[in-house]
Amino acid sequence: MLILLVEDNTDIAGNVGEYLAAHGHQADFAATGAQALYLLERQDYDAVVLDLGLPDLDGLEICRRVRSRSGYTAILMLTARGDESDKVRGLRSGADDYITKPFGTEELLARIDSLSRRLALDAGPEKIHADGCILDLGRCRFVRDGAGQDLTAREANLL
Ligand code: CA
Protein backbone atom coordinates (compact mmCIF):
# COMPACT_ATOMS: atom_id res chain seq x y z
CA MET A 1 0.00 0.00 0.00
CA LEU A 2 0.99 3.59 -0.49
CA ILE A 3 0.49 5.37 2.82
CA LEU A 4 0.79 9.02 3.78
CA LEU A 5 1.93 9.56 7.33
CA VAL A 6 1.07 13.02 8.66
CA GLU A 7 2.83 13.46 11.99
CA ASP A 8 4.99 16.27 13.37
CA ASN A 9 6.61 14.04 15.98
CA THR A 10 9.65 12.72 14.11
CA ASP A 11 10.21 9.84 16.57
CA ILE A 12 6.73 8.46 15.96
CA ALA A 13 6.95 9.09 12.21
CA GLY A 14 10.32 7.33 12.03
CA ASN A 15 9.15 4.27 13.97
CA VAL A 16 5.95 3.89 12.00
CA GLY A 17 7.71 4.47 8.68
CA GLU A 18 10.31 1.78 9.41
CA TYR A 19 7.65 -0.69 10.45
CA LEU A 20 5.53 -0.07 7.35
CA ALA A 21 8.57 -0.38 5.06
CA ALA A 22 9.58 -3.63 6.78
CA HIS A 23 6.12 -4.97 5.92
CA GLY A 24 6.29 -4.08 2.25
CA HIS A 25 4.46 -0.77 2.31
CA GLN A 26 5.61 2.55 0.98
CA ALA A 27 5.20 5.55 3.26
CA ASP A 28 5.48 9.26 2.48
CA PHE A 29 5.88 11.72 5.35
CA ALA A 30 4.42 15.10 6.04
CA ALA A 31 5.39 16.94 9.22
CA THR A 32 2.98 19.84 8.62
CA GLY A 33 -0.53 20.25 7.27
CA ALA A 34 0.81 22.26 4.32
CA GLN A 35 3.14 19.41 3.33
CA ALA A 36 0.29 16.93 3.67
CA LEU A 37 -1.98 18.94 1.37
CA TYR A 38 0.86 19.34 -1.15
CA LEU A 39 1.41 15.56 -1.31
CA LEU A 40 -2.32 14.80 -1.37
CA GLU A 41 -2.73 17.01 -4.45
CA ARG A 42 -0.14 14.97 -6.32
CA GLN A 43 -0.64 11.39 -5.22
CA ASP A 44 -3.48 8.94 -4.65
CA TYR A 45 -2.85 7.27 -1.31
CA ASP A 46 -4.40 4.01 -0.17
CA ALA A 47 -4.36 5.25 3.40
CA VAL A 48 -3.60 8.38 5.39
CA VAL A 49 -2.41 8.15 8.99
CA LEU A 50 -3.27 11.55 10.38
CA ASP A 51 -2.16 13.22 13.58
CA LEU A 52 -4.77 15.82 14.52
CA GLY A 53 -2.38 18.10 16.41
CA LEU A 54 -0.23 19.68 13.68
CA PRO A 55 1.83 22.87 13.95
CA ASP A 56 0.10 24.76 11.15
CA LEU A 57 -3.28 23.31 10.13
CA ASP A 58 -6.03 21.51 11.98
CA GLY A 59 -5.86 17.80 11.11
CA LEU A 60 -9.64 17.82 10.70
CA GLU A 61 -9.30 20.15 7.72
CA ILE A 62 -6.98 17.63 6.05
CA CYS A 63 -9.46 14.89 6.84
CA ARG A 64 -12.27 16.78 5.10
CA ARG A 65 -10.09 17.51 2.04
CA VAL A 66 -9.06 13.86 1.66
CA ARG A 67 -12.65 12.73 1.98
CA SER A 68 -13.93 15.26 -0.56
CA ARG A 69 -11.41 13.96 -3.11
CA SER A 70 -11.61 10.22 -2.65
CA GLY A 71 -13.92 7.69 -1.04
CA TYR A 72 -11.29 4.98 -1.35
CA THR A 73 -8.56 6.44 0.81
CA ALA A 74 -8.61 5.01 4.34
CA ILE A 75 -8.12 7.67 7.01
CA LEU A 76 -6.80 6.61 10.40
CA MET A 77 -6.53 9.40 12.98
CA LEU A 78 -3.96 9.53 15.75
CA THR A 79 -5.51 11.04 18.87
CA ALA A 80 -4.51 11.75 22.45
CA ARG A 81 -5.71 9.31 25.05
CA GLY A 82 -9.15 10.03 26.40
CA ASP A 83 -9.84 12.99 24.16
CA GLU A 84 -13.33 11.96 23.17
CA SER A 85 -14.30 15.23 21.47
CA ASP A 86 -11.32 14.89 19.07
CA LYS A 87 -12.37 11.36 18.18
CA VAL A 88 -15.97 12.37 17.56
CA ARG A 89 -15.02 15.41 15.48
CA GLY A 90 -12.55 13.34 13.49
CA LEU A 91 -15.03 10.60 12.70
CA ARG A 92 -17.60 13.21 11.70
CA SER A 93 -15.04 14.84 9.40
CA GLY A 94 -14.64 11.62 7.43
CA ALA A 95 -12.03 9.60 9.32
CA ASP A 96 -12.64 5.84 9.19
CA ASP A 97 -11.06 4.94 12.49
CA TYR A 98 -8.73 6.24 15.17
CA ILE A 99 -5.94 4.92 17.30
CA THR A 100 -4.95 6.39 20.65
CA LYS A 101 -1.39 7.47 21.45
CA PRO A 102 0.74 5.76 22.57
CA PHE A 103 0.02 2.91 20.17
CA GLY A 104 1.84 -0.17 18.89
CA THR A 105 2.94 -0.19 15.26
CA GLU A 106 1.57 -3.71 14.83
CA GLU A 107 -1.92 -2.61 15.84
CA LEU A 108 -1.64 0.45 13.59
CA LEU A 109 -0.86 -1.68 10.54
CA ALA A 110 -3.61 -4.18 11.41
CA ARG A 111 -6.12 -1.33 11.52
CA ILE A 112 -4.92 0.12 8.20
CA ASP A 113 -5.18 -3.32 6.58
CA SER A 114 -8.67 -3.82 7.91
CA LEU A 115 -9.83 -0.38 6.74
CA SER A 116 -8.43 -0.76 3.27
CA ARG A 117 -10.05 -4.19 2.89
CA ARG A 118 -13.38 -2.67 3.87
CA LEU A 119 -13.00 0.26 1.48
CA ALA A 120 -11.93 -2.05 -1.35
CA LEU A 121 -15.08 -4.13 -0.82
CA ASP A 122 -17.22 -0.97 -0.81
CA ALA A 123 -15.56 0.24 -3.98
CA GLY A 124 -17.56 -2.18 -6.11
CA PRO A 125 -15.89 -2.83 -9.46
CA GLU A 126 -12.71 -4.74 -9.04
CA LYS A 127 -9.15 -4.18 -9.96
CA ILE A 128 -8.05 -6.44 -12.79
CA HIS A 129 -4.47 -7.68 -12.58
CA ALA A 130 -2.74 -9.02 -15.69
CA ASP A 131 0.86 -9.16 -16.92
CA GLY A 132 2.11 -6.82 -14.19
CA CYS A 133 -0.56 -4.25 -15.09
CA ILE A 134 -3.52 -3.20 -12.99
CA LEU A 135 -6.76 -1.86 -14.38
CA ASP A 136 -8.68 -0.20 -11.58
CA LEU A 137 -12.26 0.10 -12.80
CA GLY A 138 -13.42 1.89 -9.65
CA ARG A 139 -10.96 4.74 -10.08
CA CYS A 140 -10.60 4.57 -13.89
CA ARG A 141 -6.89 4.16 -13.53
CA PHE A 142 -4.31 2.04 -15.32
CA VAL A 143 -1.06 1.17 -13.57
CA ARG A 144 1.94 -0.40 -15.29
CA ASP A 145 5.31 -0.99 -13.61
CA GLY A 146 4.26 1.32 -10.78
CA ALA A 147 3.39 4.23 -13.10
CA GLY A 148 -0.25 5.26 -13.08
CA GLN A 149 -2.39 6.80 -15.79
CA ASP A 150 -5.87 8.21 -15.29
CA LEU A 151 -8.44 7.06 -17.84
CA THR A 152 -11.82 8.29 -18.92
CA ALA A 153 -14.67 5.89 -18.11
CA ARG A 154 -14.88 5.12 -21.84
CA GLU A 155 -11.18 4.25 -22.04
CA ALA A 156 -11.43 2.04 -18.96
CA ASN A 157 -14.38 0.15 -20.45
CA LEU A 158 -12.53 -0.34 -23.74
CA LEU A 159 -9.49 -1.72 -21.93
CA1 CA B 1 1.28 16.36 16.91
Side-chain angles (χ1 to χ4, degrees), residues 44-56:
D44 266 340
Y45 289 95
D46 299 303
V48 178
V49 177
L50 178 63
D51 179 30
L52 290 186
L54 295 169
D56 53 347

Side-chain angles (χ1 to χ4, degrees), residues 61-128:
E61 177 58 29
I62 295 170
C63 205
R64 279 189 286 268
R65 298 250 200 128
V66 172
R67 199 39 85 223
S68 69
R69 280 172 56 89
S70 161
Y72 306 124
T73 303
I75 306 174
L76 181 67
M77 290 183 299
L78 305 178
T79 67
R81 180 180 290 279
D83 197 338
E84 189 183 9
S85 66
D86 261 10
K87 291 170 191 165
V88 171
R89 288 190 304 143
L91 292 170
R92 290 200 194 286
S93 303
D96 299 293
D97 197 3
Y98 63 83
I99 192 166
T100 305
K101 291 182 182 182
F103 56 86
T105 42
E106 204 173 332
E107 182 185 353
L108 178 80
L109 181 55
R111 282 181 189 271
I112 295 172
D113 277 342
S114 144
L115 285 176
S116 59
R117 270 199 308 275
R118 225 160 65 201
L119 291 173
L121 287 176
D122 288 349
E126 292 182 32
K127 292 182 182 176
I128 299 169

Side-chain angles (χ1 to χ4, degrees), residues 116-142:
S116 59
R117 270 199 308 275
R118 225 160 65 201
L119 291 173
L121 287 176
D122 288 349
E126 292 182 32
K127 292 182 182 176
I128 299 169
H129 296 251
D131 274 345
C133 303
I134 303 168
L135 175 61
D136 184 338
L137 290 169
R139 290 189 190 178
C140 288
R141 198 168 165 76
F142 182 72

